[in-house]
Amino acid sequence: MSYTTTATIEGKLAKCKDRWSCFYNNLQKRLGERTTLFTEMKEEFKNFSYDNNLNLSIKNLESLEDVTKNIFEMIEERINHMKVFMPIMEELIKTLKQSQKELTEAKISLKRIEILSKYRDWIKRLRSVVVLKMNEEEGKKFENWDGLEETLRDEMDNKDLYEDHGKYYDLKYTKRLESILKGFNLTRSDFDHLLHINEESISEFHNKKMSLRDLDNARLELAQTTFPKNMADTKKTLEKALNALGIWKKEFYKINVS
């Protein structure tokens, strides 16, 4: 089903307004000409003769003028109605435009929620891979992402405390994380963006369970998905996330399967 856009309605309304304006101006012009013509005709009749027949003609002519004037008054009243109607229609156009804008914004918002929720699980998978890579090194082991995230926060807090006293603090785990991300062609900024995307997604939106076998299809689907203009950076970051999982997948197979 097709709907008439507000632009189309506005265009038709503008044409209608122009036509009525032209009609009204012409009506006023013709009304003036009619008045002048009847006045001249009456004067000519009066100066010509005063017999009964001519007087009757003059009387009839005056009646005709009254009727004609009444008709024009009716038309003018209709025009006045239109003058009242036009502002109402213009206000309606404004309301429709605002509604259309709100609907567009709502559609974009829903599209954003759909996209973020759809790729949430892939981001979580990448976080798990990062934890696995962190645990390959000597030192503290992490059970899950929450444990690693807490350690990274503690490092930043310790760094601030040390610097307040003019001392240096080595961000051991932060540096290790950034090294792992670099191997996946990701920057720390990219990774933080992915974490933010995950936080913005709605966990109540359940996605189809996916495994690493679905990674190639996920990449293809992402490439074919049209993102809202204000999410162009999000699409690029998600592409990097899926590519990072692809790098780890090849690395895993090379070490454990080959």
Side-chain angles (χ1 to χ4, degrees):
M1 181 181 294
S2 60
Y3 296 91
T4 303
T5 63
T6 54
T8 301
I9 297 175
E10 190 174 19
K12 290 181 178 180
L13 187 59
K15 289 181 180 179
C16 179
K17 187 175 182 179
D18 291 339
R19 288 170 183 170
W20 273 102
S21 177
C22 181
F23 174 78
Y24 180 77
N25 292 334
N26 288 334
L27 177 62
Q28 293 298 318
K29 180 180 178 181
R30 298 304 180 196
L31 187 59
E33 292 175 351
R34 176 200 55 78
T35 301
T36 301
L37 178 61
F38 279 146
T39 300
E40 292 175 352
M41 290 176 64
K42 285 193 294 183
E43 289 300 321
E44 289 177 359
F45 281 133
K46 287 179 181 179
N47 294 332
F48 180 74
S49 175
Y50 289 95
D51 60 69
N52 290 334
N53 290 335
L54 190 56
N55 287 336
L56 180 61
S57 296
I58 292 174
K59 184 177 180 180
N60 290 336
L61 188 59
E62 289 174 345
S63 297
L64 177 61
E65 182 182 19
D66 290 339
V67 172
T68 305
K69 184 177 180 180
N70 182 254
I71 292 173
F72 276 103
E73 287 174 349
M74 292 172 63
I75 295 175
E76 191 168 10
E77 183 180 5
R78 174 63 63 180
I79 292 173
N80 288 332
H81 288 165
M82 285 298 298
K83 288 180 179 179
V84 174
F85 175 71
M86 294 302 290
I88 296 174
M89 285 299 295
E90 289 171 353
E91 184 63 29
L92 176 60
I93 291 294
K94 291 180 181 178
T95 302
L96 287 173
K97 279 185 174 181
Q98 181 62 30
S99 297
Q100 192 173 52
K101 179 182 178 182
E102 291 173 357
L103 286 172
T104 300
E105 291 174 350
K107 183 179 178 181
I108 292 174
S109 179
L110 288 174
K111 182 68 175 178
R112 177 181 178 82
I113 292 173
E114 177 192 10
I115 290 172
L116 297 184
S117 299
K118 185 173 186 178
Y119 292 96
R120 175 190 66 236
D121 292 342
W122 288 112
I123 295 173
K124 289 183 177 179
R125 180 66 61 85
L126 180 60
R127 288 190 324 190
S128 298
V129 168
V130 168
V131 172
L132 288 174
K133 295 291 291 182
M134 291 287 288
N135 287 338
E136 289 177 359
E137 301 290 333
E138 292 292 332
K140 185 176 181 179
K141 303 300 180 183
F142 306 97
E143 292 185 5
N144 50 42
W145 168 254
D146 291 339
L148 173 56
E149 187 176 35
E150 184 177 355
T151 296
L152 295 173
R153 280 199 302 266
D154 289 343
E155 273 198 336
M156 294 306 299
D157 289 341
N158 290 337
K159 175 178 177 293
D160 292 339
L161 291 172
Y162 270 65
E163 287 182 349
D164 288 343
H165 292 81
K167 295 183 179 181
Y168 171 77
Y169 183 82
D170 184 24
L171 297 173
K172 177 181 177 181
Y173 294 103
T174 299
K175 290 178 180 178
R176 185 187 299 179
L177 170 65
E178 291 176 352
S179 176
I180 291 170
L181 294 176
K182 185 177 181 180
F184 290 150
N185 295 326
L186 287 170
T187 65
R188 181 62 187 273
S189 178
D190 291 332
F191 193 64
D192 288 342
H193 188 192
L194 289 169
L195 296 179
H196 181 65
I197 291 172
N198 181 68
E199 290 174 359
E200 284 192 314
S201 67
I202 298 179
S203 58
E204 285 75 13
F205 282 17
H206 297 292
N207 299 318
K208 178 182 176 182
K209 293 295 182 181
M210 292 178 289
S211 68
L212 288 174
R213 290 180 178 177
D214 302 308
L215 184 58
D216 290 339
N217 289 333
R219 282 173 169 172
L220 179 61
E221 188 174 0
L222 177 59
Q224 295 174 344
T225 300
T226 301
F227 279 54
K229 290 182 179 179
N230 62 348
M231 291 185 68
D233 291 341
T234 298
K235 183 174 184 178
K236 292 178 181 178
T237 307
L238 288 172
E239 287 172 345
K240 289 183 178 182
L242 296 184
N243 289 337
L245 286 171
I247 293 172
W248 176 80
K249 181 180 177 181
K250 290 180 180 179
E251 180 183 299
F252 178 83
Y253 284 158
K254 183 177 180 180
I255 296 174
N256 298 281
V257 180
S258 300

